[in-house]
Amino acid sequence: MKKIISLILAMIAISLPMLADDSNNNVDHKLFPIFLEANLTASTPYKGSLPFSSVLDLNYKIKRFSLHALIDGTYFLPKENMTKNYNKTFNLGGGIGFELFPEKENERNVFEVRASVTRSLGSSEYRNTAYKIGLQWLVRPYKRCLTPSIGVGYCLRSFSAKELSTYNGLYVTLGIRF
């Protein structure tokens, strides 16, 4: 867990100097409204395991709305910290987002509500359909650069296996957007 926290703090530390450069006030994301996000997500424990995922999110911005294509690799880490093939899934899906604040285009901090649905591919004991809703804090760049992405939300996972009950839990996500 210490390694994960160290990695997240390092990602944020790397992106902070890029935020300090306000020399160019021209917002070029209007010309190319496609962004790529890489996120690490940790969820509340579920039946003795900790859901942990890495997500690639390709999103397209249309004014205050955004469309998302998601690739989500989730591991369900047991208490013994032993990872095997049966406790990981690979999900594909999509989602939508809406910028709540700010309403002005020249503001740097953006708060966006996102909802998504992903479905597992292949066969796994943990095969599931995941429904997520959350609030994401983003920094609107003045020019193309890496910016931080932080979010919190709620996740519902409906498992295909009858012996696994539906998962309801909170999650936190930290990442980088380009």
Side-chain angles (χ1 to χ4, degrees):
M1 189 59 139
K2 291 180 183 179
K3 290 180 183 179
I4 295 169
I5 293 171
S6 299
L7 177 65
I8 292 168
L9 291 175
M11 289 181 352
I12 292 171
I14 290 170
S15 63
L16 286 177
M18 295 175 202
L19 298 175
D21 183 19
D22 289 342
S23 60
N24 184 359
N25 288 337
N26 298 326
V27 181
D28 73 346
H29 68 272
K30 289 181 182 180
L31 300 175
F32 193 70
I34 297 175
F35 297 95
L36 179 65
E37 291 180 29
N39 296 309
L40 297 174
T41 303
S43 300
T44 54
Y46 169 73
K47 293 192 176 195
S49 66
L50 178 67
F52 180 83
S53 63
S54 57
V55 181
L56 280 178
D57 178 353
L58 181 65
N59 53 69
Y60 180 74
K61 187 173 176 341
I62 307 166
K63 295 189 180 188
R64 294 178 67 185
F65 291 94
S66 58
L67 300 173
H68 300 264
L70 303 165
I71 300 172
D72 182 341
T74 303
Y75 288 93
F76 296 88
L77 300 175
K79 287 182 181 178
E80 301 85 35
N81 291 328
M82 295 177 66
T83 306
K84 303 214 184 217
N85 287 336
Y86 66 85
N87 61 348
K88 67 179 177 181
T89 62
F90 180 73
N91 291 21
L92 285 179
I96 58 171
F98 179 74
E99 287 183 9
L100 294 174
F101 306 106
E103 295 180 14
K104 298 176 184 173
E105 188 69 26
N106 60 354
E107 295 288 327
R108 299 259 344 238
N109 293 313
V110 176
F111 292 92
E112 182 176 47
V113 172
R114 293 183 179 176
S116 66
V117 177
T118 59
R119 175 91 174 134
S120 297
L121 300 176
S123 62
S124 170
E125 184 177 316
Y126 286 89
R127 186 178 175 137
N128 67 79
T129 302
Y131 306 92
K132 292 183 179 180
I133 187 161
L135 180 66
Q136 201 79 9
W137 170 73
L138 306 161
V139 175
R140 183 179 289 131
Y142 286 128
K143 56 186 176 182
R144 280 286 175 193
C145 64
L146 295 176
T147 58
S149 168
I150 301 172
V152 294
Y154 169 78
C155 178
L156 181 138
R157 289 184 192 271
S158 177
F159 292 96
S160 298
K162 292 181 181 180
E163 60 272 2
L164 294 173
S165 61
T166 301
Y167 166 78
N168 292 290
L170 301 176
Y171 69 87
V172 63
T173 181
L174 297 169
I176 295 178
R177 184 181 197 195
F178 175 74

